[in-house]
Each structure stands twice: as C-alpha cells, then as structure tokens.
Amino acid sequence: MFVLDAIHKSYGQNHVLRGVSCTIGEGEIVGIAGPSGAGKSVLLKILGNVEQPDRGTIRQVNGRQIKGESLEGEGLASVGFLFQESALFDSLSVLENVAFPLIDAGKYHRSEAEESVEYEQGMQKAYDVLEAVGLGHAYKKHPGQLSGGMRRRVGIARALVCSPDLVLLDDPTGGLDPVAARVIMDLIAELHQRYKPSVVIVSHDLRRMLPSVERLLVLFDGSISADTSIDCLEDSISPRVRSFLSTRYDFSRAG
Ligand SMILES: Nc1ncnc2c1ncn2[C@@H]1O[C@H](COP(=O)(O)OP(=O)(O)O)[C@@H](O)[C@H]1O
Ligand SMILES: [Mg+2]
C-alpha cells in the first residue's frame, strides 16, 4: 500500500498542495478528479518521484518505499508513468520508446554492438508489452506515423515495461475522440486485470473514468476533499464536490 502523508508543494507563492493525505492500495485502481490547476499533475509527479514535495512523506507499506526514511537494503518501488500528452521521443522507434525505461534504468545496457543478451531481453520485453497493447505490428514505426490513440497506447506500454508496482496515468484519454478514448479506458482496465499493479488515473473525463476505477479522490484547494469508493459516490460527497462532479458527470444516469 502507498501512503501519502501531509504532502505540501509550492511554486513560489503558489501553494498548490496543502497537506494531501491518502492511500493507494496494492493492486487498486484509483481515479483523481479536480478542477484544472488543482495540482493533479503535480501530485502524480510527486508520486512518480519526478517532483519532490516540500514537506510530507510517501511510503510503500509492506514493501519498498518511494520516499521517507530510507530502508536499508531496499530499493525504490518501481513506478510507470504516462505523462500528459504521452511525451514520446519522435526520433526513436515505437519499440525503442517502450524499451526506454529499461535502458534508462540501466537494467538493459545498450552495448556497442547492441547484441548483448540483456539488450535482446529488454527489446523482447518491450515487444511483449507492445503486443499486450495491440501494437506489436507497429514496433518499427515512429510516433509521428501513429494516430493519437496509438501514441497513447505506446505511452501506456512504456509505463508498464518495468513491471511497476505503481502505474500513474495523467489524462490518458485527453485529446482523443470518444471512440479512441473508450478503447484506451477499456485497455487500461484489461491491463490492470492482467498485470495487477496499483494504478492512479487523472482524468477530466469522469464519465469514462468512473466505470474503470474502484475509488475516486477529488482534489480541491490543495487537499483531498473526497475519497470514496465508486459504489457509494453519491452518498459520500459534500454538496460542493457533488456540484463540481455534476458538471462533468450525470448522476441520474449512473448505476
Ligand atoms: N514546474 C512548475 N513551476 C511552476 N508552477 C507549476 C509547475 N508545475 C505546476 N505548477 C502550477 O501548479 C498548479 C497545479 O498544476 P497542475 O498540477 O498541472 O494542475 P492540474 O490539476 O490541472 O493537473 C498550477 O497553478 C500550475 O501553474
Ligand atoms: Mg494536469
């Protein structure tokens, strides 16, 4: 379980996160919603160790830790990240994009001849994950040759390639048409079943996200104003959270 305790983050005078505390269960799939600029992406980056909190801790209980006091002999938890807008490398092939975290993490060194066993294994692993997202056939292509939905699938494969304990997906359906967005949400649900990592999804598209997640966190004014399982969403939110959510989600048609 991942435990966030009183996370604070400011940029200059902008106190974005003001004591965020929550947990992400092992193998759980959690959604984060909140107004634009609320700090959802910042929170994800802190979870992903891309940004450092000013105060507060993130620990992985019963396992390796992400942050906090160092546990001797234990490495960092592995985290897979799909950044907002995918952020693929246009100069690399699809396969190289997916394999990048393996090589970057030094798990599979690129030898001079590119013929080491480790390199081959890394590329095989990347290919396997690419097949799992339905893009095995496109491994040689470059990101610029793919549709938006396919690029997003490459980003998801890259987030999974290290067999992470925690997968962070920032706006995985952003900018996609409704059909492509549906395909991506279904794929995320399928991959979650298959690999069973903890997953955190940030999305504006509540209508598509809510059926795929087990729990919803709502980030308001720098802290978590709602933390509820989807089953009792309607009963457990404040009027303010409800009024925010109802601009994006039709409660009368939920169920
Ligand atoms: N690297 C940064 N430098 C300065 N301000 C930042 C930085 N990253 C985010 N912010 C600010 O933090 C706030 C939250 O941003 P963000 O997490 O991207 O919001 P959202 O909830 O829409 O994802 C915004 O006011 C944004 O301008
Ligand atoms: Mg964002």
Side-chain angles (χ1 to χ4, degrees):
M1 179 163 67
F2 298 88
V3 181
L4 286 77
D5 189 23
I7 300 289
H8 285 257
K9 180 72 180 177
S10 296
Y11 295 99
Q13 298 298 310
N14 187 4
H15 196 170
V16 180
L17 302 180
R18 300 164 178 245
V20 170
S21 300
C22 61
T23 61
I24 314 289
E26 216 152 288
E28 192 178 30
I29 180 162
V30 177
I32 300 183
S36 184
K40 304 180 296 296
S41 294
V42 169
L43 182 59
L44 231 51
K45 285 177 190 161
I46 287 174
L47 259 170
N49 214 4
V50 176
E51 289 267 10
Q52 303 306 310
D54 300 331
R55 273 193 282 147
T57 57
I58 304 171
R59 287 170 299 125
Q60 187 178 0
V61 176
N62 298 330
R64 294 161 294 171
Q65 67 157 24
I66 296 189
K67 270 193 207 75
E69 296 124 52
S70 76
L71 300 172
E72 222 149 295
E74 305 254 19
L76 292 176
S78 64
V79 180
F81 210 136
L82 173 71
F83 291 95
Q84 214 162 359
E85 310 302 341
S86 299
L88 301 176
F89 301 108
D90 286 324
S91 59
L92 299 182
S93 72
V94 163
L95 185 67
E96 288 166 334
N97 264 283
V98 175
F100 192 83
L102 295 173
I103 290 153
D104 195 45
K107 287 195 183 180
Y108 298 103
H109 270 296
R110 192 182 198 124
S111 75
E112 272 104 52
E114 294 192 359
E115 280 168 358
S116 70
V117 173
E118 291 79 8
Y119 185 81
E120 285 302 317
Q121 282 173 347
M123 287 300 167
Q124 185 60 51
K125 176 87 195 283
Y127 185 79
D128 291 345
V129 182
L130 207 46
E131 284 219 298
V133 302
L135 284 181
H137 62 279
Y139 77 100
K140 274 187 177 166
K141 289 197 189 305
H142 280 252
Q145 298 171 279
L146 304 180
S147 70
M150 289 164 90
R151 292 170 63 92
R152 215 52 64 83
R153 281 194 269 164
V154 174
I156 291 170
R158 187 171 64 184
L160 286 170
V161 78
C162 283
S163 307
D165 299 324
L166 177 63
V167 177
L168 306 170
L169 305 172
D170 198 350
D171 203 13
T173 61
L176 299 182
D177 65 65
V179 174
R182 183 72 265 156
V183 169
I184 291 295
M185 285 315 299
D186 289 347
L187 177 68
I188 290 167
E190 182 194 319
L191 294 168
H192 175 247
Q193 283 301 316
R194 178 165 171 174
Y195 295 105
K196 278 286 173 201
S198 303
V199 178
V200 181
I201 306 176
V202 165
S203 180
H204 305 283
D205 193 348
L206 283 176
R207 212 158 42 81
R208 284 205 178 71
M209 175 170 77
L210 288 186
S212 303
V213 299
E214 293 159 352
R215 196 151 58 87
L216 181 70
L217 307 176
V218 181
L219 191 59
F220 253 144
D221 296 335
S223 66
I224 304 290
S225 358
D227 178 349
T228 167
S229 78
I230 301 305
D231 299 339
C232 46
L233 179 63
E234 280 214 71
D235 308 322
S236 52
I237 52 176
S238 67
R240 183 165 174 240
V241 170
R242 188 193 169 93
S243 119
F244 163 72
L245 293 179
S246 63
T247 61
R248 294 142 192 269
Y249 184 67
D250 186 354
F251 282 95
S252 64
R253 291 175 61 192

